[in-house]
């Protein structure tokens, strides 16, 4: 149980285009989903916390107009990187917190974004 | 906010040796401390966690200790194997927000 999927697993796009990444909890309901960004050989950097049915809470320094987050249901959150540029190239990972699990987070497999 | 420091950044051991990774945290309200293992290009996987009402927890070759007074916790891996090679992250969170703060990670290399 407690499986989180992410789609796509990798994407290559041209500079200026927008990319949408989906995060789904497959066998549990997630009140909260987290979006992280990870550069090579670095730690997980929390970008935003997404709560179902409400606006996402962004961490300091993360542009909410550039990284659009929608948490439409208890099993789906999306991250859209708008007008992507090469510096947005990174590994994006979501995680979901189980309704019952309090602290426990389950991570998605990540999405490798490369912007040319 | 919470600040989590993790050491060392790289740890190289021989197969069969023990490995210890240490983390400190700053917020005394933090009460949940998970450890994640991340292999290259893969998702972080929870390997063990400890809550603030417990001082030590063990799961086969892996153990975690917590010293609330000193605000530090450690991961201990005994009888290391090459497949233990990965990046390990510690984290701290507290009730209410449940938002974890991660350490910078430790790259563990186990030489056969």
């Amino acid at each position: 149980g407690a499986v989180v999927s992410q789609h796509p697993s990798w994407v290559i796009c041209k500079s200026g285009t927008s990319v949408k990444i989906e995060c789904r909890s497959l066998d549990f309901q997630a009140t909260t989903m987290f979006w992280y960004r990870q550069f090579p050989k670095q730690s997980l950097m929390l970008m935003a916390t997404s709560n179902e049915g409400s606006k996402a809470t962004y961490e300091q320094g993360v542009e909410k107009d550039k990284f659009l987050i929608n948490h439409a249901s208890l099993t789906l959150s999306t991250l859209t990187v708008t007008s992507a540029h090469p510096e947005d190239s990174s590994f994006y990972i979501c995680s979901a917190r189980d309704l019952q699990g309090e602290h426990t987070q389950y991570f998605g497999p990540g999405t490798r974004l490369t912007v040319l | 906010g919470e600040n989590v420091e993790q050491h060392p950044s790289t740890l190289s051991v021989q197969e069969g040796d023990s490995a210890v990774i240490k983390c400190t945290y700053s917020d005394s309200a933090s009460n949940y401390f998970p450890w994640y293992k991340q292999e290259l290009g893969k998702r972080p996987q929870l390997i063990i966690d400890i809550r603030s009402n417990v001082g030590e927890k063990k799961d086969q070759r892996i153990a975690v200790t917590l010293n609330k007074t000193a605000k530090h916790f450690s991961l201990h891996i005994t009888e290391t194997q090459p497949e233990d090679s990965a990046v390990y992250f510690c984290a701290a969170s507290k009730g209410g927000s449940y938002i974890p703060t991660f350490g910078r990670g430790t790259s563990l290399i186990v030489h056969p």
Side-chain angles (χ1 to χ4, degrees):
Chain A
V3 177
V4 176
S5 71
Q6 231 177 294
H7 179 81
S9 55
W10 60 270
V11 57
I12 301 172
C13 68
K14 292 182 179 180
S15 186
T17 60
S18 293
V19 175
K20 180 185 281 189
I21 302 169
E22 291 187 350
C23 178
R24 292 182 185 271
S25 56
L26 298 184
D27 52 1
F28 66 100
Q29 292 184 321
T31 49
T32 306
M33 289 185 171
F34 302 95
W35 286 97
Y36 295 88
R37 184 173 180 175
Q38 187 177 35
F39 290 107
K41 297 186 179 181
Q42 293 194 22
S43 189
L44 297 154
M45 186 193 81
L46 181 64
M47 299 174 65
T49 303
S50 167
N51 291 297
E52 185 264 339
S54 63
K55 289 184 178 180
T57 301
Y58 290 82
E59 295 298 300
Q60 194 172 11
V62 178
E63 297 177 58
K64 62 179 181 181
D65 294 330
K66 180 163 184 66
F67 298 100
L68 301 178
I69 291 172
N70 183 279
H71 193 157
S73 75
L74 285 172
T75 60
L76 173 64
S77 177
T78 61
L79 167 68
T80 301
V81 183
T82 62
S83 187
H85 290 286
E87 57 266 30
D88 298 323
S89 299
S90 189
F91 193 50
Y92 292 87
I93 307 178
C94 71
S95 71
R97 187 165 70 83
D98 192 321
L99 273 172
Q100 306 299 325
E102 294 188 332
H103 293 279
T104 307
Q105 285 191 48
Y106 303 97
F107 283 88
T111 296
R112 173 76 57 194
L113 171 63
T114 303
V115 185
L116 303 176
Chain B
E2 175 66 277
N3 181 47
V4 176
E5 298 284 342
Q6 183 172 347
H7 298 280
S9 57
T10 305
L11 180 58
S12 185
V13 300
Q14 287 296 129
E15 183 176 2
D17 288 350
S18 295
V20 180
I21 303 170
K22 299 181 179 181
C23 287
T24 60
Y25 61 100
S26 60
D27 189 347
S28 57
S30 290
N31 58 1
Y32 176 70
F33 308 93
W35 286 89
Y36 293 90
K37 175 184 180 182
Q38 187 180 28
E39 298 176 2
L40 190 63
K42 302 280 183 67
R43 77 183 82 196
Q45 299 267 23
L46 178 68
I47 55 172
I48 196 167
D49 57 11
I50 191 167
R51 297 179 188 272
S52 59
N53 58 347
V54 175
E56 184 174 356
K57 184 176 178 181
K58 189 173 182 180
D59 182 4
Q60 298 183 332
R61 296 187 296 110
I62 295 172
V64 58
T65 58
L66 170 66
N67 183 327
K68 282 194 300 182
T69 304
K71 295 207 279 286
H72 67 70
F73 55 113
S74 301
L75 177 71
H76 304 254
I77 306 174
T78 58
E79 300 171 32
T80 54
Q81 301 166 2
E83 49 266 38
D84 294 330
S85 297
V87 178
Y88 291 80
F89 293 99
C90 64
S93 65
K94 58 187 177 184
S97 69
Y98 301 108
I99 297 174
T101 300
F102 285 87
R104 298 178 71 86
T106 296
S107 177
L108 174 64
I109 304 166
V110 181
H111 299 280

